[in-house]
Amino acid sequence: MDKIKEAADLILKSKKVFALTGAGISTDSGIPDFRSSTGYYSKMDPALALSKDRLLNHPEIFYKEGYKILEDLNDQEPNGGHKALAKLEKLGYLSGIITQNIDNLHAKAGSKNIYEVHGETRGTHCMKCGKEYPFAVMREKVEKGEIPPKCDECGGTIRPNVVMFGDMMPDDFERGARELDNTDTLIVVGSSLTVSPVNFLPNYVDHLIIINNDPTPMDRQADVVIHENSTIVLQEILKEIESRK
C-alpha cells in the first residue's frame, strides 16, 4: 500500500517522532471506544458517570456505573497495534507516546516513554494523605461493600488515578505538550481529535500521520491519512520500516 510506504518514509526522515493515541487503538483488545454507538458512553453520560462530583458526592452511583468502566479496562491485554508502537520505540524510531487512554495497554505492551494525559487505572490514592494503593486494593474494598473505599492509614477516601470530568489535567499533559515542541512528526492513532485540550496537540508539529477508522477534523492538515484498522496499519508500517534496515 502506497500510504504505508509514505508513512514509513516520513517516520524515517524525521528526527523526532511521537504518537498520540485514543480509544480506537484499543478496540482490538476488546475495549469498545467511548463515543461510538456501541461504546461505553452509549448507555450513560460520561460527564456524569466519570465526574468528580459523582465520585465525591454520590459514590454509591459512581461505583455502580463509572467504576465498572475502570474495572473493565484494568483487565484487558495489548493488541498488535500497541506492540508495534512499543517495537518502534525500542528500535529508536519513536520517541514516546501521548495517550488519552486509561487502559494501561501501552505500558503492558512494553512502551517506556508514555504520557497518560487522562490518567491510568493501575493505581489509586488517598485524597487526604496521598498514600498510594494498587487498583486491586480498591477493587477488594468495593467488592466487600466499602463504598467509598477508605484509606487504611488516615481514613480518607481512596480514588482512582483517572482524570475525572471536573478534574484538572495532570502534569503528563504539560510534559507531553513540551515534548512536541521539537517533534517533527506526530502519528495520531485511533483518536477522533474532538476532545479538548488534547485535540490541540497536533498543531504543535510540522507533519502529521493520522490512522483512524473515521475522518477527523485534522485530516486536511495531515501528510498521510489512513482510514483503516489501526492494528493492521501499525503492523504494516513497522514491517515496512524493518524491511529497510
Side-chain angles (χ1 to χ4, degrees):
M1 184 195 295
D2 287 342
K3 287 189 175 183
I4 295 294
K5 291 181 178 178
E6 287 176 30
D9 286 341
L10 189 51
I11 292 168
L12 289 170
K13 75 179 184 183
S14 298
K15 290 180 180 177
K16 184 177 178 182
V17 180
F18 243 78
L20 169 63
T21 66
I25 195 173
S26 297
T27 53
D28 283 351
S29 291
I31 299 174
D33 67 32
F34 280 78
R35 284 170 175 77
S36 73
S37 58
T38 56
Y40 281 122
Y41 294 160
S42 61
K43 296 176 182 176
M44 64 180 80
D45 180 352
L48 289 176
L50 287 174
S51 70
K52 186 176 181 180
D53 176 70
R54 181 162 286 181
L55 171 74
L56 299 180
N57 299 318
H58 305 283
E60 69 288 346
I61 301 176
F62 173 80
Y63 284 97
K64 281 182 181 177
E65 294 184 359
Y67 170 76
K68 297 298 182 184
I69 295 176
L70 308 185
E71 194 174 38
D72 184 37
L73 292 175
N74 199 255
D75 293 332
Q76 307 305 323
E77 293 299 323
N79 60 53
H82 299 103
K83 292 172 184 176
L85 289 179
K87 186 69 179 292
L88 284 171
E89 182 187 23
K90 187 177 181 181
L91 293 172
Y93 299 111
L94 187 70
S95 295
I97 298 169
I98 298 169
T99 186
Q100 297 172 271
N101 299 338
I102 56 175
D103 53 29
N104 314 312
L105 297 184
H106 288 301
K108 285 184 179 180
S111 291
K112 303 299 182 188
N113 191 27
I114 311 166
Y115 296 91
E116 295 165 312
V117 299
H118 290 162
E120 40 81 9
T121 52
R122 293 184 298 279
T124 65
H125 66 277
C126 173
M127 297 178 68
K128 187 175 180 181
C129 73
K131 181 176 171 62
E132 296 183 1
Y133 295 89
F135 191 87
V137 170
M138 169 177 275
R139 175 180 278 179
E140 188 178 322
K141 287 175 177 290
V142 171
E143 286 175 354
K144 289 179 179 176
E146 189 178 316
I147 295 175
K150 297 294 184 180
C151 175
D152 296 332
E153 296 288 329
C154 72
T157 297
I158 299 173
R159 63 157 288 174
N161 293 343
V162 171
V163 178
M164 304 285 182
F165 289 87
D167 278 332
M168 298 285 286
M169 290 294 278
D171 290 342
D172 267 20
F173 179 77
E174 291 298 330
R175 291 168 59 227
R178 284 199 297 271
E179 285 274 18
L180 297 186
D181 282 342
N182 61 347
T183 292
D184 303 292
T185 298
L186 183 66
I187 309 169
V188 179
V189 187
S191 175
S192 63
L193 294 177
T194 57
V195 178
S196 297
V198 174
N199 60 342
F200 291 105
L201 294 179
N203 294 306
Y204 285 52
V205 301
D206 293 328
H207 300 286
L208 269 181
I209 297 169
I210 294 180
I211 303 164
N212 196 52
N213 277 333
D214 301 310
T216 80
M218 297 292 289
D219 283 5
R220 286 187 177 183
Q221 293 169 241
D223 299 71
V224 183
V225 178
I226 306 176
H227 290 153
E228 293 183 41
N229 177 278
S230 62
T231 301
I232 294 170
V233 172
L234 288 171
Q235 289 175 324
E236 288 295 317
I237 290 173
L238 172 62
K239 189 189 301 181
E240 177 67 24
I241 288 174
E242 287 185 310
S243 72
R244 303 189 194 183
K245 289 171 66 179

